[in-house]
Amino acid sequence: MLVGLATDKIPAMRLLAMDVDENKDLVFNKYKPDSSDITTDIIKEFLGKFQDGKLEPITEDIPEDWDAKPVKILVGKNFNEVAMNEDKDVFVMFHAPWCGLCKFLSPIWDELAEKYNDRDDIVIAKINGAANQVPGVRVRAYPTYMLFPKNTKEVFEFDGKYTLENFSKYLESGGEYVPEKYEKKTKDSAEASDKTTAESPLSSTAESSHSMQEKTETEKQTDKQIIHETKGKSEKAVQSKQTKEKVKKKAENSDPKEAMQQSKHEKDSSKTPS
């Protein structure tokens, strides 16, 4: 999981080197060889470049259509150019292909990008953190959302409920808005939650969200809470939309005079004492 290799890319070779950043936190730097072949000569050359300090952190190539959609696709090679642009507010989602929670929350991120698609000073982007390493940016878990505001070199990590409203307010405030957070569950409440969500098909999706280290039970329960709340809001939105469509369709197909008479009859009936 830490290497971030898809099954169709195996066998493959990657080098994980432990290091300490400026905050004295332990980090893993990831490297990959230029060739996909695995031979003795290639391994020797690869390790030789590492020992000589000639390897660059792992990155994908820049897609030709990286900016064709509302959500821009970043990789290690174009991250600094886009995210560190001080003329724009850049909001980035760090995700991984194997992260179930990332996939579940992607529609919200797409909706956020659509909302600000006409703004030249705002960029909504995402980057596959498992396949691209950005020096100086530490990602502890997936998904992670970071805001790179314009006119500053500061970086803000979003910490709150994953909703369109929270994302929007956080972005528009330049990272100053304090969003509502998910409730941290105790061990007892987590066990109780397990009993109510064990039969849900989304339970396995929540647990497939994976951090750099194995998630604690409390973190897993938070993932389940995120999915439960997001799913509930989505269902209510769909129901509300369906109801409005039914009312609209009924109004379009009915005789205006009959509709007015029916409305008057309903009002008169409501005034009649029971």
Side-chain angles (χ1 to χ4, degrees), residues 119-138:
R119 291 280 298 272
D120 294 332
D121 61 334
I122 290 178
V123 175
I124 307 299
K126 65 180 180 180
I127 181 171
N128 178 355
N132 298 275
Q133 187 168 2
V134 181
V137 178
R138 187 183 181 195

Side-chain angles (χ1 to χ4, degrees), residues 242-258:
Q242 290 175 342
T243 301
K244 289 179 180 178
E245 288 177 350
K246 287 180 180 179
V247 172
K248 182 180 179 182
K249 187 175 181 180
K250 183 178 179 180
E252 290 174 347
N253 296 332
S254 62
D255 185 348
K257 292 183 178 180
E258 291 182 359

Side-chain angles (χ1 to χ4, degrees), residues 39-254:
T39 66
T40 302
D41 290 340
I42 289 176
I43 294 174
K44 287 181 179 179
E45 181 184 4
F46 182 46
L47 293 178
K49 287 183 177 179
F50 172 72
Q51 292 175 333
D52 295 339
K54 295 180 179 179
L55 290 182
E56 294 294 330
I58 189 171
T59 178
E60 296 175 301
D61 291 329
I62 302 174
E64 292 184 3
D65 60 346
W66 72 272
D67 61 346
K69 296 181 180 180
V71 177
K72 312 308 176 187
I73 306 300
L74 302 185
V75 296
K77 292 181 178 180
N78 69 345
F79 187 90
N80 286 340
E81 180 183 354
V82 178
M84 305 301 179
N85 186 338
E86 294 189 12
D87 294 327
K88 298 184 179 184
D89 290 315
V90 185
F91 209 177
V92 183
M93 174 186 185
F94 291 80
H95 68 97
W98 36 258
C99 170
L101 185 58
C102 298
K103 294 176 182 176
F104 186 81
L105 295 171
S106 285
I108 298 176
W109 202 242
D110 292 339
E111 192 174 353
L112 182 73
E114 290 284 357
K115 180 177 180 179
Y116 294 99
N117 194 35
D118 294 332
R119 291 280 298 272
D120 294 332
D121 61 334
I122 290 178
V123 175
I124 307 299
K126 65 180 180 180
I127 181 171
N128 178 355
N132 298 275
Q133 187 168 2
V134 181
V137 178
R138 187 183 181 195
V139 178
R140 297 175 176 82
Y142 299 112
T144 289
Y145 299 88
M146 290 188 183
L147 176 63
F148 299 79
K150 57 189 172 187
N151 302 322
T152 179
K153 294 185 181 297
E154 286 190 272
V155 181
F156 298 94
E157 183 172 339
F158 178 87
D159 181 20
K161 289 191 174 184
Y162 303 134
T163 66
L164 179 63
E165 180 182 5
N166 276 342
F167 283 143
S168 300
K169 289 182 177 179
Y170 193 77
L171 171 61
E172 292 174 5
S173 70
E176 295 183 2
Y177 172 70
V178 180
E180 181 184 2
K181 294 179 173 59
Y182 290 100
E183 178 184 355
K184 290 186 177 180
K185 297 185 178 182
T186 62
K187 183 178 180 180
D188 291 339
S189 63
E191 290 176 353
S193 176
D194 270 338
K195 294 178 181 178
T196 59
T197 60
E199 297 179 358
S200 169
L202 292 172
S203 298
S204 59
T205 304
E207 292 186 5
S208 65
S209 174
H210 194 84
S211 66
M212 296 301 179
Q213 299 177 346
E214 187 64 27
K215 285 199 170 186
T216 63
E217 287 302 317
T218 301
E219 288 172 327
K220 288 181 180 179
Q221 292 306 320
T222 301
D223 283 356
K224 290 180 181 179
Q225 181 186 1
I226 292 169
I227 289 179
H228 177 73
E229 292 189 11
T230 306
K231 182 171 180 284
K233 289 181 179 179
S234 298
E235 289 175 346
K236 287 181 180 178
V238 171
Q239 291 173 357
S240 175
K241 183 178 180 180
Q242 290 175 342
T243 301
K244 289 179 180 178
E245 288 177 350
K246 287 180 180 179
V247 172
K248 182 180 179 182
K249 187 175 181 180
K250 183 178 179 180
E252 290 174 347
N253 296 332
S254 62

